[in-house]
């Protein structure tokens, strides 16, 4: 039997410690238990507060979603069995699966779906942000729901395959007494310690049990990368996201490695209007920052080859991607200093940035040195691990190291480029860009992809950020399970994990 000792727990990407004992069995015993080590701390069970990425792993066992994304990240029927848009693409009508019930006995019907969509939309986290285009929802009849949009949303259907489209019992939307869903598992409270370990046992009334072959799911919250690695090497967990620098240790211990495109990493410039640091309001200054970084060295030496250098925010799988833009900003500190001088900053400027050494020590050191090499004076500020994300989203810093998921084109646009985007903390508004975005959201097919490319070119030419690389997510996997990553998804869904035999 696999014995699990104390687990290290903390907020996403941070390092802090807390201990919890207990024992769980893994699939290696053939007892039907899948045990995961997840590096982020669970957000509240209220879906209006749901985050994306690895946060999804906590929600997925309990809450079923309207659609399910296949291995190519395309929407397939789930709670919604079919759907269609009207000609304006502003009304999405979905037919719902009949006979589904929440674990409290309440029927899953159009009224429940309406209550959930409007409730989640009213939140402020990432799941809520994906529903921003929803204006109203009509329960046409018990098995038909009509979603009315203020404008077309090219990503809405696929968004309904993550927490944005998950459905909780209308009697328990706030999640204060725990999650109540219609999903394949239920939360076992006796096997759960909030912030440390979460145990889910099978919902025997679930309509699609064969899609979830494990009898039990155990999620251990382990934010510290070393503790996560040790849990994997000690056969305490079946799956864990690991630091690329630890990959050789996993290979040498009889475990398997899995990797897939995860995020775009680099210097994110939050203050493009120059409200905090006036220099950043100038295009030449932002372009100078792009020439400051040796992207190939970062990909090779910091990320150990589990990354590919890039100058653009779009990834190769995206309809916005253009190969010609990969090397627009080669490493050239001399050109960076020249651009700063042309912009009126021959002696550079000073910027205060959050110290992210606790989560990205190599990146912090490289970034600080590269900026100082071109004359940008960096002052770092210690930020408590529990406050980093919120301080960035509230616009407290002009720029910082960061990585954001490798989104589909429209998800990237709505999350980072629109005035109300969750990762546009300064609420920056560019009229020319806004016009392009408005046109793109109404287009379809090849025309839409061409507009996405125009947006990508505009963002790169105007140096909205200084991306370094497309970063892979690296996972250590026990020999007892098989995993299938999905494009555009940072997390690996539990339904893409199966017993190896």
């Amino acid at each position: 039997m696999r014995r699990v000792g104390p687990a290290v727990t903390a907020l996403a990407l941070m390092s802090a410690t807390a201990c919890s004992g207990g024992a769980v069995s893994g699939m290696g015993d053939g007892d039907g238990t899948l045990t995961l080590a997840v590096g982020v701390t669970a957000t509240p069970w209220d879906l209006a507060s749901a985050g994306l990425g690895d946060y999804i792993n906590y929600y997925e066992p309990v809450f079923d979603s309207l659609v399910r994304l296949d291995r190519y990240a395309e929407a397939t029927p789930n709670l919604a069995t079919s759907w269609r848009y009207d000609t304006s693409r502003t009304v999405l009508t979905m037919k719902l699966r009949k006979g589904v019930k929440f674990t409290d006995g309440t029927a899953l019907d159009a009224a429940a779906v309406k209550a959930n969509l409007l409730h989640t939309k009213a939140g402020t986290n990432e799941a809520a942000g994906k529903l921003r285009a929803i204006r109203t929802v009509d329960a046409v009849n018990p098995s038909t729901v009509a979603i009315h949009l203020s404008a077309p949303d090219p990503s809405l259907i696929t968004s309904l395959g993550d927490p944005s489209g998950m459905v909780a019992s209308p009697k328990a939307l706030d999640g204060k007494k725990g999650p109540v869903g219609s999903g394949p598992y239920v939360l076992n409270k006796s096997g759960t310690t909030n912030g440390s370990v979460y145990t889910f046992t099978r919902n025997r009334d679930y309509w699609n049990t064969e899609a979830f072959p494990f009898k039990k799911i155990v999620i251990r919250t382990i934010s510290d990368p070393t503790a996560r690695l040790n849990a994997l090497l000690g056969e305490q967990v079946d799956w864990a996201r690991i630091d690329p620098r630890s990959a050789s240790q996993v290979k040498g211990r009889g475990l398997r490695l899995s990797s897939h495109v995860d995020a775009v990493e680099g210097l994110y410039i939050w203050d493009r209007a120059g409200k905090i640091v006036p220099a950043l309001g100038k295009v030449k200054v932002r372009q100078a920052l792009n020439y400051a970084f040796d992207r190939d060295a970062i990909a090779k030496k910091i990320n150990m080859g589990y990354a590919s250098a890039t100058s653009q925010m779009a990834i190769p799988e995206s309809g916005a991607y253009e190969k010609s833009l990969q090397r627009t900003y080669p490493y050239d500190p001399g050109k960076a200093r020249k651009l700063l001088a042309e912009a009126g900053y021959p002696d550079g400027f000073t910027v205060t940035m959050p110290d992210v050494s606790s989560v990205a020590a190599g990146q912090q050191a490289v970034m600080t040195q590269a900026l100082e090499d071109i004359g940008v004076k960096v002052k770092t500020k210690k930020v408590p691990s529990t406050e980093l994300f919120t301080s960035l989203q509230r616009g407290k810093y002009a720029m910082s190291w960061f990585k954001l998921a490798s989104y589909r084109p429209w998800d990237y646009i709505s999350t980072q480029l629109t005035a109300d985007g969750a990762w546009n903390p300064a609420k920056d508004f560019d009229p020319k860009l806004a016009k392009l975005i408005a046109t793109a959201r109404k287009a379809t097919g090849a025309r839409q992809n061409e507009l996405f490319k125009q947006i990508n070119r505009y963002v790169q030419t105007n140096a909205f950020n200084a991306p370094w690389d497309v970063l892979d997510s690296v996972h250590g996997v026990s020999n007892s399970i098989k995993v299938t990553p999905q494009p555009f998804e940072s997390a690996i869904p539990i339904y893409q994990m199966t017993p190896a035999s």
Side-chain angles (χ1 to χ4, degrees), residues 26 39 62 108 119 125 138-140 151 209 220 294 313 332 369-370 410 424 473:
V62 177
L108 193 155
H119 176 77
N125 210 336
D138 290 338
V140 178
T209 340
R220 302 197 68 87
D294 187 342
M313 295 298 291
D332 192 338
Q369 187 62 56
W410 183 252
N424 180 7
S473 174

Side-chain angles (χ1 to χ4, degrees), residues 394-406:
R394 290 173 182 170
K396 290 188 176 181
Y397 295 97
M399 60 187 194
S400 71
W401 167 86
F402 209 55
K403 58 179 182 178
L404 283 174
S406 51

Side-chain angles (χ1 to χ4, degrees), residues 341-370:
E342 291 174 0
Y345 294 91
D347 300 318
F349 59 93
T350 300
V351 60
T352 299
M353 302 171 67
D355 185 346
V356 298
S357 297
S358 62
V359 298
Q363 287 87 339
Q364 176 71 46
V366 166
M367 176 178 63
T368 301
Q369 187 62 56

Side-chain angles (χ1 to χ4, degrees), residues 449-466:
N449 278 340
E450 174 52 37
L451 288 164
F452 285 155
K453 286 180 168 64
Q454 288 183 37
I455 291 168
N456 188 34
R457 289 195 292 269
Y458 185 88
V459 165
Q460 191 189 51
T461 300
N462 289 277
F464 274 41
N465 293 304

Side-chain angles (χ1 to χ4, degrees), residues 475-498:
H475 318 275
V477 184
S478 77
N479 289 318
S480 59
I481 67 168
K482 180 173 66 175
V483 301
T484 305
Q486 290 176 330
F488 306 114
E489 297 293 327
S490 174
I492 296 180
I494 289 172
Y495 61 83
Q496 296 289 15
M497 298 184 180
T498 58

